């Protein structure tokens, strides 16, 4: 019996070793997105790292977003990976994201046969996890403007893949209601598990006003998105509070399974990454695991 117990223990240790591959930086470098993957300057030896997916705005690029967000510096300080891919539809000088049934910033629906960006981004996560460098339980998504809408869409249709999300000047909760674009269509955002959420916005944003309006194809206010996510996350207590002289937060507390729903709004903030506190974003994201 002692020998049998020893053999069982050894087999379990071997199985655990096989299940988690050691981080191979060469495998990361071999990915097609290699130039858009930022590995932190320092990391815990042999330990899989958290991953933040960073999605650019409409007609932008991943490279632009990585530069403008300064998230690489935050990753270096805290030891997480950032990947900043390009959207699947060429537009302007860059790309836009494919959210089915909703026109892009060009004013037309995604073309037939356009890349399925949900499938692409899910596969990208799988490929990064397979290198052994990324922890599958600590995958997060953020994005600016159109990238914030895409991050929100991932939350609606692929919530189990992510531990938390932080859309920037682009929080949504499904497609607009066909009969009333000023309302969210609840049937198009049915996240299967609670997903912690912290959005960032500015109250002087004229491109995507938090009170609603803006582009004719997606007009519902931030409050409608927050309310829908509160329902999805099982939250019961609305709140509002000042965080500083220039930033206030509104959201919902008492949510299920440790989820949260909140938006931080910068007074006088515009439609740009300038409304984000990267350290605060990472502090929020890093509290959550899937």
């Amino acid at each position: 019996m002692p020998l049998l117990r020893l053999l069982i223990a050894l087999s379990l240790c071997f199985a655990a070793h096989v299940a988690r591959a050691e981080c191979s930086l060469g495998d990361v470098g071999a990915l097609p997105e290699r130039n858009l993957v930022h590995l932190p300057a320092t990391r815990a030896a042999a330990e899989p790292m958290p991953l933040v997916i960073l999605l650019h705005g409409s007609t932008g690029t991943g490279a632009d977003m990585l530069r403008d967000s300064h998230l690489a510096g935050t990753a270096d300080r805290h030891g997480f990976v950032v990947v900043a891919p390009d959207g699947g539809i060429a537009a302007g000088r860059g790309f836009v994201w494919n959210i089915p049934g909703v026109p892009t910033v060009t004013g037309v629906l995604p073309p037939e046969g356009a890349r399925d960006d949900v499938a692409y981004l899910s596969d990208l996560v799988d490929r990064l996890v397979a290198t052994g460098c990324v922890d599958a339980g600590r995958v997060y998504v953020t994005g600016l403007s159109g990238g914030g809408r895409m991050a929100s869409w991932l939350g609606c249709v692929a919530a189990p893949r992510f531990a938390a999300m932080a859309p920037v000047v682009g929080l949504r909760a499904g497609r607009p209601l066909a009969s009333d674009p000023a309302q969210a269509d609840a049937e198009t955002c049915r996240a299967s598990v609670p997903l912690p959420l912290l959005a960032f916005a500015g109250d002087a944003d004229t491109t995507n006003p938090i009170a609603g309006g803006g582009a004719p194809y997606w007009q519902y206010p931030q409050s409608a998105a927050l309310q829908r996510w509160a329902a999805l996350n099982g939250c019961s207590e609305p709140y509002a509070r000042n965080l500083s002289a220039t930033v206030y937060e509104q959201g919902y507390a008492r949510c299920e399974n440790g989820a949260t729903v909140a938006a931080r709004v910068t007074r006088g903030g515009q439609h740009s990454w300038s409304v984000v506190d990267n350290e605060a974003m990472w502090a929020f994201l890093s509290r959550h695991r899937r």
Side-chain angles (χ1 to χ4, degrees):
M1 288 297 292
L3 178 59
L4 178 60
R5 286 197 295 270
L6 177 61
L7 290 173
I8 292 173
L10 288 173
S11 67
L12 289 174
C13 288
F14 177 75
H17 177 75
V18 170
R20 196 187 79 185
E22 291 187 6
C23 176
S24 172
L25 298 182
D27 288 345
V28 175
L31 295 174
E33 300 87 358
R34 61 189 178 278
N35 294 326
L36 300 173
V37 178
H38 177 83
L39 295 168
T42 58
R43 66 184 183 88
E47 287 296 317
M49 295 171 282
L51 169 67
V52 174
I53 300 175
L54 175 63
L55 305 178
H56 62 75
S58 297
T59 73
T61 68
D64 290 345
M65 194 72 258
L66 191 59
R67 179 197 65 213
D68 296 342
S69 69
H70 303 290
L71 208 56
T74 312
D76 288 340
R77 289 190 293 275
H78 296 285
F80 61 88
V81 179
V82 182
V83 61
D86 291 334
I89 304 171
R93 63 175 186 82
F95 303 89
V96 294
W97 299 99
N98 179 4
I99 300 177
V102 179
T104 71
V105 71
T106 65
V108 299
L109 290 170
E112 187 176 348
R115 186 182 76 187
D116 182 336
D117 280 331
V118 172
Y120 164 70
L121 293 168
S122 298
D123 177 67
L124 177 57
V125 171
D126 289 342
R127 288 185 283 127
L128 284 163
V129 169
T131 67
C133 298
V134 165
D135 183 346
R138 293 186 291 167
V139 177
Y140 312 102
V141 62
T142 183
L144 173 74
S145 189
R149 293 194 292 273
M150 187 66 207
S152 302
W153 184 244
L154 288 169
C156 289
V157 301
R161 306 301 299 266
F162 305 98
M165 69 173 179
V168 178
V169 297
L171 175 66
R172 293 291 185 257
R175 294 193 288 261
L177 192 65
S179 59
D180 181 6
Q183 300 295 323
D185 184 350
E187 292 302 312
T188 63
C189 188
R190 303 178 65 87
S192 58
V193 295
L195 182 63
L197 156 70
L198 176 62
F200 293 85
D203 67 4
D205 183 344
T206 57
T207 301
N208 180 29
I210 61 173
Y217 53 84
W218 215 330
Q219 296 202 312
Y220 61 79
Q222 179 173 268
S223 59
L226 287 172
Q227 186 175 26
R228 177 57 182 157
W229 281 109
L232 290 166
N233 286 350
C235 307
S236 59
E237 184 178 300
Y239 72 88
R241 60 181 179 177
N242 286 314
L243 299 181
S244 71
T246 58
V247 178
Y248 66 90
E249 182 176 290
Q250 52 189 171
Y252 293 81
R254 299 185 183 276
C255 307
E256 295 177 356
N257 299 320
T260 55
V261 173
R264 292 190 177 181
V265 181
T266 298
R267 294 181 174 91
Q270 305 290 325
H271 190 76
S272 73
W273 195 268
S274 63
V275 300
V276 180
D277 178 337
N278 282 3
E279 293 293 325
M281 175 185 282
W282 176 244
F284 163 74
L285 294 174
S286 62
R287 288 199 298 268
H288 300 284
R289 292 172 176 257
R290 179 60 72 194

